[in-house]
Structures are given as structure tokens and as C-alpha cells.
Amino acid sequence: MTITHTISRLLVLCCSLLFFARTAPTHAEEPPLSYYDKITEAADYIRARWDQTPDVLIILGTGLGHLAERIEADVVLPYEQIPHFAVSTVESHAGNLILGSLEGKRVIAMQGRFHLYEGYTPQEVVFPIFVANRLGAKRLFVSNAAGGMNPRYERGDIVLIEDHINLFGCNPLTGPNDERLGPRFPDMIEPYSHRLIKMAEETALSLGIKTHQGVYVGLLGPNFETRAEYRFLKGIGADVVGMSTVPEVIAARYLSMEVLGISVVTDMCLPDLRETADHDLITEAANSAEPKMNDIICGVLKQLD
Ligand code: HPA
């Protein structure tokens, strides 16, 4: 055997060893958990700490977290303790799941929600809806702070969302569909329940609270819109604009949950007024209009069977 021959055999041997060292599993790899299984793990974790069946999941939007104080809480779970929950990064969002009773109904309240502009995937944003539904919640009450584009609205007004337009450019239901969760092509003809809107209107009327019915358009953000965009959004039929709600409502309807959506108008988005939008002012306006919204939510809860 020549020396060149020996060297080339040694080289082949070294390369093979290197190849196997890189590809051989160092430990038995677990298959990744499916979305369905992640929901199961999160729901099991919550059920072990709160053995009730919730009637409603309530999502408290920006500056709208005080309803939590009216809940007789049995358990408060920070999001970071719940398996597979993302963690809220917006300062005004507390990031707790509150489990308890409100107006005699069992509720789960999300104090703080996940926004797409924070960098979460659409599936992470809507994960809590799936978990609440797995625990038995058949209804979603969702609130948000929104910019008013309808000139009949005023800052501090309450808008009962009657329909929405999805301009996020994404959807939480894309990807392979798990038929155990819902249908491939869910219907969206009545995303917001007319029955719940009527109950909310009657409650508001009896309390002397002015409400509107309007269309919510959801955008990715995080920048507020340009004046040309406000003109466009109003032109396509939207009354209020915000950066949330639509993904959650799509997921809830996929799960056949009955939805009530409420916007608090925190600033007016009339292009010719040239008012600048400011997050602190929006939070302040949401805080001061919030008691009206909370009264409506409590009134509807009271009427639920
Ligand atoms: N755009 C404009 N104004 C707003 C928004 C928004 O997304 N959210 C709350 N006020």
C-alpha cells in the first residue's frame, strides 16, 4: 500500500467519523407538541387550580383593565406561569389571567392581551381563546381602545362592534387545519352576535349610556395611521380603527363562540383635523370612559342564561 493510499483512507475515515458525530442523535428527540396538545397542557394547568367551567372569556383592552377589580377572583395566574402562554410586553397591560365570578357568572378575564405588533405570531395571539374554550367558555367579550373615524362619534363614546375588516395581512387560522378544533373555512357572516349587541344596547339605554354600532378595522401597527390611510379606512366602511380584536374574534368564531365586541373611542381620527395620536392620551381616555363599558358588560352578564 502506497503512502498516498494510506493517507486518503485515513481522510475518508475521519470524514465519516465527523459526519456521524454530527448526525447521530445525542438523546432521543421528542416530537414537537401540536397546537392542540399545547392547548390541552395549558387547560390542564388551569383546571388543576380552578375547577370551574367558565361562562365567558373577557379580554380587557388597553387602559381597560379595571373591570378586573370588580371580579370576585378565586385565582390569579400570571401569564408566564401558564404553559405555552406568551407574555404581554405593553406596559399598560398587566398580563394576568383572572378566574372568578362577576354578576353571578363564572368568568376568565385576560388582564392584558397579545398584539401582533409585539412580534407574536397570530397563533400565539389567539392561544388564550383556544384555552378558555377548552375549559368550556362558549362566549367571548372583547374590548379595545380605538380611534374614531366616524364624524358622529366623540372621544369617550362606546361603540358596539357590529362587524370588522381584517387588514392585518395575516390570519390565525392559516396552516394545516386541525378538524378537532374547527372547520377549514369558518363562516363569518355574523362575527359579532346580534343577540348580545341587543342586550348591550338595552343595558346601555337603561343606564343612560350613549352607544353606537360600528365597523372595526384592525391593522398591524404599531404606527398610528397616516391621514391618507384614515380617508381610505373610512372609505371602505370602517367606523373605528385599532390594532387588536380581529384575530381573537376570528379564532372565537372558528370555535363557534358567541362574541360581544366593544370599542372605547379614545381619539378622533379625522384627517383634516390633523390631531396627533398619542399612546398616553389614548390610555387616559380609555381609563375615563371605562366605567361605562364595564357597566354594559356587567349588565349583559346579568342577563345571560
Ligand atoms: N389608530 C388610531 N387611533 C387609535 C388606535 C389606532 O390603532 N387605537 C386607539 N386609538
Side-chain angles (χ1 to χ4, degrees), residues 125-200:
V125 167
V126 301
F127 185 70
I129 322 291
F130 283 91
V131 175
N133 182 259
R134 182 69 64 81
L135 291 167
K138 300 265 185 292
R139 296 185 182 104
L140 169 70
F141 289 6
V142 56
S143 66
N144 59 60
M149 294 179 297
N150 185 322
R152 291 186 298 112
Y153 296 177
E154 284 176 328
R155 194 164 180 244
D157 278 0
I158 303 287
V159 179
L160 303 170
I161 306 175
E162 174 256 309
D163 208 340
H164 73 220
I165 300 173
N166 179 10
L167 289 190
F168 279 92
C170 63
N171 189 303
L173 307 180
T174 52
N177 186 53
D178 189 332
E179 290 288 330
R180 291 172 292 179
L181 295 170
R184 171 77 289 185
F185 300 109
D187 173 65
M188 285 288 154
I189 206 67
E190 189 187 322
Y192 301 85
S193 155
H194 291 171
R195 186 181 88 95
L196 293 179
I197 291 176
K198 195 157 169 276
M199 282 160 87

Side-chain angles (χ1 to χ4, degrees), residues 82-105:
I82 307 171
H84 314 296
F85 256 59
V87 178
S88 181
T89 64
V90 177
E91 270 172 51
S92 51
H93 286 243
N96 291 315
L97 207 60
I98 298 160
L99 308 136
S101 321
L102 185 60
E103 300 296 340
K105 301 293 182 308

Side-chain angles (χ1 to χ4, degrees), residues 94-283:
N96 291 315
L97 207 60
I98 298 160
L99 308 136
S101 321
L102 185 60
E103 300 296 340
K105 301 293 182 308
R106 278 147 307 175
V107 299
I108 299 185
M110 283 182 71
Q111 197 178 29
R113 61 141 62 89
F114 307 113
H115 298 90
L116 283 158
Y117 64 72
E118 293 174 271
Y120 300 118
T121 64
Q123 287 76 16
E124 284 173 324
V125 167
V126 301
F127 185 70
I129 322 291
F130 283 91
V131 175
N133 182 259
R134 182 69 64 81
L135 291 167
K138 300 265 185 292
R139 296 185 182 104
L140 169 70
F141 289 6
V142 56
S143 66
N144 59 60
M149 294 179 297
N150 185 322
R152 291 186 298 112
Y153 296 177
E154 284 176 328
R155 194 164 180 244
D157 278 0
I158 303 287
V159 179
L160 303 170
I161 306 175
E162 174 256 309
D163 208 340
H164 73 220
I165 300 173
N166 179 10
L167 289 190
F168 279 92
C170 63
N171 189 303
L173 307 180
T174 52
N177 186 53
D178 189 332
E179 290 288 330
R180 291 172 292 179
L181 295 170
R184 171 77 289 185
F185 300 109
D187 173 65
M188 285 288 154
I189 206 67
E190 189 187 322
Y192 301 85
S193 155
H194 291 171
R195 186 181 88 95
L196 293 179
I197 291 176
K198 195 157 169 276
M199 282 160 87
E201 273 182 339
E202 283 166 6
T203 304
L205 200 64
S206 70
L207 296 170
I209 300 169
K210 175 174 76 169
T211 60
H212 308 278
Q213 278 192 36
V215 174
Y216 178 95
V217 60
L219 283 87
L220 181 61
N223 63 284
F224 292 113
E225 299 70 33
T226 65
R227 287 184 301 137
E229 285 167 343
Y230 287 139
R231 279 189 210 101
F232 165 73
L233 297 172
K234 185 166 173 282
I236 61 169
D239 299 294
V240 280
V241 54
M243 304 172 196
S244 66
T245 302
V246 171
E248 290 111 314
V249 173
I250 290 174
R253 290 305 300 148
Y254 172 69
L255 296 165
S256 302
M257 293 170 80
E258 195 182 16
V259 177
L260 176 67
I262 304 185
S263 289
V264 172
V265 178
T266 50
D267 53 308
M268 287 307 293
C269 305
L270 305 174
D272 298 325
L273 277 186
R274 301 182 72 102
E275 271 178 10
T276 50
D278 176 281
H279 184 72
D280 291 338
L281 289 179
I282 285 172
T283 310

